[in-house]
Amino acid sequence: MNLILLGAPGAGKGTQAEVISSKLGIPQISTGNILRAAVKNGTEWGLKAKAFMDAGDLVPDDVVIGILKDRIAESDCAKGFILDGFPRTVPQAEALETMGVVIDKVIEISVPDEDIKNRLGGRRVCESCGASYHVEFNPTKAEGVCDKCGGKVVQRADDAPETVLNRLATYHEATAPLVDFYKGRGKLTTVIGQSEVSDTSKLVLDAVNA
Ligand code: AMP
């Protein structure tokens, strides 16, 4: 099963991808997490991506498509995968088709912009494994420590309010057209993001019949 999770930054794609990943036993592929690791390790791709990410802009398509192509060629993706944060532009979606990747379902998690701003303000992520938390809605058991791997849980620099506004604008301009793109291909299911993570998970798992 090859799935795509679509939605604004902070809509809950990463959190729900984790839920589906453990339920279906297929990997979650977050281009944001891969890029952050590349920046941290100072790789060539990381150096190219950093300025775009810091500003809340999209990393150029050719860079992200190259990263994604390499990742889905790995053996753990043989039985399927969940794309979280890719595609983010129509050319990225077209690149998947050119690669011959068949997408079974696209789940859009829909959350109003005002809620997105509140969610991103309280979001915290694990520096080591990328797991996502929220200070109010989905807190870690011990403050600042990842429940899953014990890594340090921090606020992302690009979750600062000014950067969030740019990321939201970029979402509406570049990524939201993918809703119609996948609707036109009969692949899209829209789920309304709920305030309780587990309520959204039920809707998402229903949508993928898991
Ligand atoms: P995310 O963790 O998904 O919010 O991604 C963090 C940042 O990484 C984004 O704001 C972009 O700068 C970059 N990024 C992640 N995925 C993509 C993508 N598919 N296309 C372009 N840029 C991306």
Side-chain angles (χ1 to χ4, degrees):
M1 172 108 80
N2 296 334
L3 300 172
I4 291 174
L5 287 180
L6 206 59
K13 299 186 298 293
T15 303
Q16 298 306 329
E18 285 169 30
V19 171
I20 306 172
S21 173
S22 49
K23 181 97 186 183
L24 296 183
I26 53 177
Q28 164 193 11
I29 299 176
S30 157
T31 41
N33 284 350
I34 296 172
L35 285 165
R36 276 184 288 279
V39 170
K40 205 170 167 187
N41 297 329
T43 68
E44 191 192 331
W45 272 340
L47 294 175
K48 282 187 191 163
K50 188 176 183 321
F52 295 98
M53 296 174 74
D54 286 348
D57 290 331
L58 292 182
V59 173
D61 285 337
D62 59 335
V63 175
V64 194
I65 290 167
I67 288 176
L68 196 274
K69 199 171 181 177
D70 285 356
R71 179 63 187 88
I72 61 177
E74 287 178 33
S75 58
D76 64 332
C77 291
K79 288 193 181 136
F81 48 77
I82 307 152
L83 299 184
D84 153 19
F86 187 100
R88 258 182 161 97
T89 63
V90 170
Q92 290 179 20
E94 288 169 346
L96 276 178
E97 293 184 344
T98 307
M99 283 177 221
V101 173
V102 177
I103 298 298
D104 298 290
K105 276 183 188 164
V106 179
I107 315 290
E108 178 203 8
I109 307 179
S110 174
V111 174
D113 282 5
E114 273 316 301
D115 294 355
I116 289 291
K117 290 176 203 161
N118 294 333
R119 284 176 180 222
L120 290 179
R123 176 159 79 174
R124 301 291 181 270
V125 294
C126 174
E127 272 186 340
S128 305
C129 76
S132 189
Y133 300 93
H134 189 281
V135 287
E136 194 182 332
F137 306 127
N138 182 25
T140 50
K141 292 193 180 89
E143 196 173 331
V145 181
C146 180
D147 294 354
K148 298 194 173 77
C149 77
K152 192 173 165 199
V153 171
V154 297
Q155 181 165 35
R156 275 168 49 174
D158 64 350
D159 281 346
E162 4 14 298
T163 317
V164 163
L165 290 182
N166 187 37
R167 289 165 67 207
L168 260 176
T170 304
Y171 173 75
H172 288 295
E173 191 185 313
T175 310
L178 290 174
V179 169
D180 280 342
F181 181 94
Y182 285 115
K183 211 182 263 174
R185 281 156 175 74
K187 310 268 186 194
L188 189 88
T189 305
T190 299
V191 160
I192 305 294
Q194 309 290 311
S195 47
E196 287 292 326
V197 170
S198 59
D199 291 338
T200 309
S201 298
K202 278 185 204 126
L203 299 172
V204 167
L205 290 172
D206 267 2
V208 297
N209 299 324

mmCIF file with all atom_site columns, all heavy atoms in Angstrom, residues 128-142:
data_model
loop_
_atom_site.group_PDB
_atom_site.id
_atom_site.type_symbol
_atom_site.label_atom_id
_atom_site.label_alt_id
_atom_site.label_comp_id
_atom_site.label_asym_id
_atom_site.label_entity_id
_atom_site.label_seq_id
_atom_site.pdbx_PDB_ins_code
_atom_site.Cartn_x
_atom_site.Cartn_y
_atom_site.Cartn_z
_atom_site.occupancy
_atom_site.B_iso_or_equiv
_atom_site.pdbx_formal_charge
_atom_site.auth_seq_id
_atom_site.auth_comp_id
_atom_site.auth_asym_id
_atom_site.auth_atom_id
_atom_site.pdbx_PDB_model_num
ATOM 1   N N   . SER A 1 128 ? 16.268 13.488 17.535 1.00 0.00 ? 128 SER A N   1
ATOM 2   C CA  . SER A 1 128 ? 16.900 12.247 17.082 1.00 0.00 ? 128 SER A CA  1
ATOM 3   C C   . SER A 1 128 ? 16.022 11.463 16.111 1.00 0.00 ? 128 SER A C   1
ATOM 4   O O   . SER A 1 128 ? 16.479 11.092 15.035 1.00 0.00 ? 128 SER A O   1
ATOM 5   C CB  . SER A 1 128 ? 17.216 11.339 18.273 1.00 0.00 ? 128 SER A CB  1
ATOM 6   O OG  . SER A 1 128 ? 17.998 12.048 19.190 1.00 0.00 ? 128 SER A OG  1
ATOM 7   N N   . CYS A 1 129 ? 14.743 11.201 16.477 1.00 0.00 ? 129 CYS A N   1
ATOM 8   C CA  . CYS A 1 129 ? 13.932 10.322 15.616 1.00 0.00 ? 129 CYS A CA  1
ATOM 9   C C   . CYS A 1 129 ? 12.852 11.076 14.861 1.00 0.00 ? 129 CYS A C   1
ATOM 10  O O   . CYS A 1 129 ? 12.159 10.494 14.030 1.00 0.00 ? 129 CYS A O   1
ATOM 11  C CB  . CYS A 1 129 ? 13.325 9.170  16.419 1.00 0.00 ? 129 CYS A CB  1
ATOM 12  S SG  . CYS A 1 129 ? 11.920 9.658  17.447 1.00 0.00 ? 129 CYS A SG  1
ATOM 13  N N   . GLY A 1 130 ? 12.659 12.358 15.161 1.00 0.00 ? 130 GLY A N   1
ATOM 14  C CA  . GLY A 1 130 ? 11.681 13.147 14.395 1.00 0.00 ? 130 GLY A CA  1
ATOM 15  C C   . GLY A 1 130 ? 10.250 13.021 14.902 1.00 0.00 ? 130 GLY A C   1
ATOM 16  O O   . GLY A 1 130 ? 9.350  13.638 14.351 1.00 0.00 ? 130 GLY A O   1
ATOM 17  N N   . ALA A 1 131 ? 10.012 12.225 15.960 1.00 0.00 ? 131 ALA A N   1
ATOM 18  C CA  . ALA A 1 131 ? 8.644  12.075 16.480 1.00 0.00 ? 131 ALA A CA  1
ATOM 19  C C   . ALA A 1 131 ? 8.103  13.450 16.867 1.00 0.00 ? 131 ALA A C   1
ATOM 20  O O   . ALA A 1 131 ? 8.834  14.329 17.311 1.00 0.00 ? 131 ALA A O   1
ATOM 21  C CB  . ALA A 1 131 ? 8.638  11.143 17.688 1.00 0.00 ? 131 ALA A CB  1
ATOM 22  N N   . SER A 1 132 ? 6.783  13.589 16.678 1.00 0.00 ? 132 SER A N   1
ATOM 23  C CA  . SER A 1 132 ? 6.162  14.895 16.834 1.00 0.00 ? 132 SER A CA  1
ATOM 24  C C   . SER A 1 132 ? 5.245  14.924 18.062 1.00 0.00 ? 132 SER A C   1
ATOM 25  O O   . SER A 1 132 ? 4.508  13.969 18.312 1.00 0.00 ? 132 SER A O   1
ATOM 26  C CB  . SER A 1 132 ? 5.355  15.141 15.553 1.00 0.00 ? 132 SER A CB  1
ATOM 27  O OG  . SER A 1 132 ? 4.897  16.449 15.515 1.00 0.00 ? 132 SER A OG  1
ATOM 28  N N   . TYR A 1 133 ? 5.297  16.026 18.809 1.00 0.00 ? 133 TYR A N   1
ATOM 29  C CA  . TYR A 1 133 ? 4.476  16.186 20.017 1.00 0.00 ? 133 TYR A CA  1
ATOM 30  C C   . TYR A 1 133 ? 3.840  17.561 20.015 1.00 0.00 ? 133 TYR A C   1
ATOM 31  O O   . TYR A 1 133 ? 4.191  18.414 19.203 1.00 0.00 ? 133 TYR A O   1
ATOM 32  C CB  . TYR A 1 133 ? 5.356  16.039 21.270 1.00 0.00 ? 133 TYR A CB  1
ATOM 33  C CG  . TYR A 1 133 ? 6.030  14.697 21.367 1.00 0.00 ? 133 TYR A CG  1
ATOM 34  C CD1 . TYR A 1 133 ? 7.313  14.496 20.855 1.00 0.00 ? 133 TYR A CD1 1
ATOM 35  C CD2 . TYR A 1 133 ? 5.377  13.617 21.949 1.00 0.00 ? 133 TYR A CD2 1
ATOM 36  C CE1 . TYR A 1 133 ? 7.924  13.256 20.921 1.00 0.00 ? 133 TYR A CE1 1
ATOM 37  C CE2 . TYR A 1 133 ? 5.981  12.362 22.019 1.00 0.00 ? 133 TYR A CE2 1
ATOM 38  C CZ  . TYR A 1 133 ? 7.254  12.194 21.504 1.00 0.00 ? 133 TYR A CZ  1
ATOM 39  O OH  . TYR A 1 133 ? 7.845  10.964 21.562 1.00 0.00 ? 133 TYR A OH  1
ATOM 40  N N   . HIS A 1 134 ? 2.911  17.780 20.950 1.00 0.00 ? 134 HIS A N   1
ATOM 41  C CA  . HIS A 1 134 ? 2.356  19.119 21.164 1.00 0.00 ? 134 HIS A CA  1
ATOM 42  C C   . HIS A 1 134 ? 2.255  19.338 22.665 1.00 0.00 ? 134 HIS A C   1
ATOM 43  O O   . HIS A 1 134 ? 1.809  18.433 23.392 1.00 0.00 ? 134 HIS A O   1
ATOM 44  C CB  . HIS A 1 134 ? 0.974  19.243 20.505 1.00 0.00 ? 134 HIS A CB  1
ATOM 45  C CG  . HIS A 1 134 ? 0.453  20.648 20.504 1.00 0.00 ? 134 HIS A CG  1
ATOM 46  N ND1 . HIS A 1 134 ? -0.108 21.231 21.612 1.00 0.00 ? 134 HIS A ND1 1
ATOM 47  C CD2 . HIS A 1 134 ? 0.449  21.595 19.538 1.00 0.00 ? 134 HIS A CD2 1
ATOM 48  C CE1 . HIS A 1 134 ? -0.456 22.480 21.321 1.00 0.00 ? 134 HIS A CE1 1
ATOM 49  N NE2 . HIS A 1 134 ? -0.123 22.720 20.068 1.00 0.00 ? 134 HIS A NE2 1
ATOM 50  N N   . VAL A 1 135 ? 2.682  20.518 23.134 1.00 0.00 ? 135 VAL A N   1
ATOM 51  C CA  . VAL A 1 135 ? 2.748  20.752 24.587 1.00 0.00 ? 135 VAL A CA  1
ATOM 52  C C   . VAL A 1 135 ? 1.401  20.516 25.270 1.00 0.00 ? 135 VAL A C   1
ATOM 53  O O   . VAL A 1 135 ? 1.345  20.062 26.412 1.00 0.00 ? 135 VAL A O   1
ATOM 54  C CB  . VAL A 1 135 ? 3.260  22.173 24.932 1.00 0.00 ? 135 VAL A CB  1
ATOM 55  C CG1 . VAL A 1 135 ? 4.747  22.298 24.660 1.00 0.00 ? 135 VAL A CG1 1
ATOM 56  C CG2 . VAL A 1 135 ? 2.515  23.246 24.175 1.00 0.00 ? 135 VAL A CG2 1
ATOM 57  N N   . GLU A 1 136 ? 0.307  20.770 24.539 1.00 0.00 ? 136 GLU A N   1
ATOM 58  C CA  . GLU A 1 136 ? -1.014 20.642 25.148 1.00 0.00 ? 136 GLU A CA  1
ATOM 59  C C   . GLU A 1 136 ? -1.744 19.376 24.678 1.00 0.00 ? 136 GLU A C   1
ATOM 60  O O   . GLU A 1 136 ? -2.286 18.620 25.478 1.00 0.00 ? 136 GLU A O   1
ATOM 61  C CB  . GLU A 1 136 ? -1.819 21.881 24.745 1.00 0.00 ? 136 GLU A CB  1
ATOM 62  C CG  . GLU A 1 136 ? -3.086 22.111 25.538 1.00 0.00 ? 136 GLU A CG  1
ATOM 63  C CD  . GLU A 1 136 ? -3.807 23.352 25.010 1.00 0.00 ? 136 GLU A CD  1
ATOM 64  O OE1 . GLU A 1 136 ? -3.124 24.255 24.467 1.00 0.00 ? 136 GLU A OE1 1
ATOM 65  O OE2 . GLU A 1 136 ? -5.026 23.396 25.112 1.00 0.00 ? 136 GLU A OE2 1
ATOM 66  N N   . PHE A 1 137 ? -1.748 19.156 23.357 1.00 0.00 ? 137 PHE A N   1
ATOM 67  C CA  . PHE A 1 137 ? -2.594 18.097 22.797 1.00 0.00 ? 137 PHE A CA  1
ATOM 68  C C   . PHE A 1 137 ? -1.933 16.721 22.802 1.00 0.00 ? 137 PHE A C   1
ATOM 69  O O   . PHE A 1 137 ? -2.622 15.705 22.741 1.00 0.00 ? 137 PHE A O   1
ATOM 70  C CB  . PHE A 1 137 ? -2.989 18.440 21.347 1.00 0.00 ? 137 PHE A CB  1
ATOM 71  C CG  . PHE A 1 137 ? -3.629 19.796 21.208 1.00 0.00 ? 137 PHE A CG  1
ATOM 72  C CD1 . PHE A 1 137 ? -3.150 20.722 20.294 1.00 0.00 ? 137 PHE A CD1 1
ATOM 73  C CD2 . PHE A 1 137 ? -4.711 20.153 22.016 1.00 0.00 ? 137 PHE A CD2 1
ATOM 74  C CE1 . PHE A 1 137 ? -3.738 21.977 20.172 1.00 0.00 ? 137 PHE A CE1 1
ATOM 75  C CE2 . PHE A 1 137 ? -5.304 21.400 21.892 1.00 0.00 ? 137 PHE A CE2 1
ATOM 76  C CZ  . PHE A 1 137 ? -4.817 22.320 20.973 1.00 0.00 ? 137 PHE A CZ  1
ATOM 77  N N   . ASN A 1 138 ? -0.605 16.696 22.822 1.00 0.00 ? 138 ASN A N   1
ATOM 78  C CA  . ASN A 1 138 ? 0.086  15.398 22.690 1.00 0.00 ? 138 ASN A CA  1
ATOM 79  C C   . ASN A 1 138 ? 1.456  15.502 23.368 1.00 0.00 ? 138 ASN A C   1
ATOM 80  O O   . ASN A 1 138 ? 2.494  15.394 22.730 1.00 0.00 ? 138 ASN A O   1
ATOM 81  C CB  . ASN A 1 138 ? 0.228  15.089 21.180 1.00 0.00 ? 138 ASN A CB  1
ATOM 82  C CG  . ASN A 1 138 ? 0.879  13.757 20.899 1.00 0.00 ? 138 ASN A CG  1
ATOM 83  O OD1 . ASN A 1 138 ? 0.827  12.846 21.724 1.00 0.00 ? 138 ASN A OD1 1
ATOM 84  N ND2 . ASN A 1 138 ? 1.510  13.639 19.746 1.00 0.00 ? 138 ASN A ND2 1
ATOM 85  N N   . PRO A 1 139 ? 1.461  15.739 24.714 1.00 0.00 ? 139 PRO A N   1
ATOM 86  C CA  . PRO A 1 139 ? 2.733  16.003 25.390 1.00 0.00 ? 139 PRO A CA  1
ATOM 87  C C   . PRO A 1 139 ? 3.586  14.744 25.576 1.00 0.00 ? 139 PRO A C   1
ATOM 88  O O   . PRO A 1 139 ? 3.064  13.624 25.581 1.00 0.00 ? 139 PRO A O   1
ATOM 89  C CB  . PRO A 1 139 ? 2.294  16.564 26.745 1.00 0.00 ? 139 PRO A CB  1
ATOM 90  C CG  . PRO A 1 139 ? 0.920  16.047 26.962 1.00 0.00 ? 139 PRO A CG  1
ATOM 91  C CD  . PRO A 1 139 ? 0.306  15.771 25.618 1.00 0.00 ? 139 PRO A CD  1
ATOM 92  N N   . THR A 1 140 ? 4.883  14.949 25.741 1.00 0.00 ? 140 THR A N   1
ATOM 93  C CA  . THR A 1 140 ? 5.767  13.828 26.088 1.00 0.00 ? 140 THR A CA  1
ATOM 94  C C   . THR A 1 140 ? 5.492  13.438 27.548 1.00 0.00 ? 140 THR A C   1
ATOM 95  O O   . THR A 1 140 ? 5.014  14.265 28.334 1.00 0.00 ? 140 THR A O   1
ATOM 96  C CB  . THR A 1 140 ? 7.248  14.244 25.974 1.00 0.00 ? 140 THR A CB  1
ATOM 97  O OG1 . THR A 1 140 ? 7.435  15.470 26.701 1.00 0.00 ? 140 THR A OG1 1
ATOM 98  C CG2 . THR A 1 140 ? 7.659  14.459 24.534 1.00 0.00 ? 140 THR A CG2 1
ATOM 99  N N   . LYS A 1 141 ? 5.812  12.202 27.908 1.00 0.00 ? 141 LYS A N   1
ATOM 100 C CA  . LYS A 1 141 ? 5.582  11.758 29.300 1.00 0.00 ? 141 LYS A CA  1
ATOM 101 C C   . LYS A 1 141 ? 6.512  12.519 30.243 1.00 0.00 ? 141 LYS A C   1
ATOM 102 O O   . LYS A 1 141 ? 6.094  13.019 31.278 1.00 0.00 ? 141 LYS A O   1
ATOM 103 C CB  . LYS A 1 141 ? 5.796  10.252 29.404 1.00 0.00 ? 141 LYS A CB  1
ATOM 104 C CG  . LYS A 1 141 ? 4.718  9.474  28.660 1.00 0.00 ? 141 LYS A CG  1
ATOM 105 C CD  . LYS A 1 141 ? 4.727  7.992  29.018 1.00 0.00 ? 141 LYS A CD  1
ATOM 106 C CE  . LYS A 1 141 ? 3.653  7.249  28.263 1.00 0.00 ? 141 LYS A CE  1
ATOM 107 N NZ  . LYS A 1 141 ? 4.111  6.735  26.947 1.00 0.00 ? 141 LYS A NZ  1
ATOM 108 N N   . ALA A 1 142 ? 7.807  12.590 29.876 1.00 0.00 ? 142 ALA A N   1
ATOM 109 C CA  . ALA A 1 142 ? 8.752  13.393 30.666 1.00 0.00 ? 142 ALA A CA  1
ATOM 110 C C   . ALA A 1 142 ? 9.105  14.620 29.837 1.00 0.00 ? 142 ALA A C   1
ATOM 111 O O   . ALA A 1 142 ? 9.363  14.503 28.625 1.00 0.00 ? 142 ALA A O   1
ATOM 112 C CB  . ALA A 1 142 ? 10.016 12.583 30.947 1.00 0.00 ? 142 ALA A CB  1
#
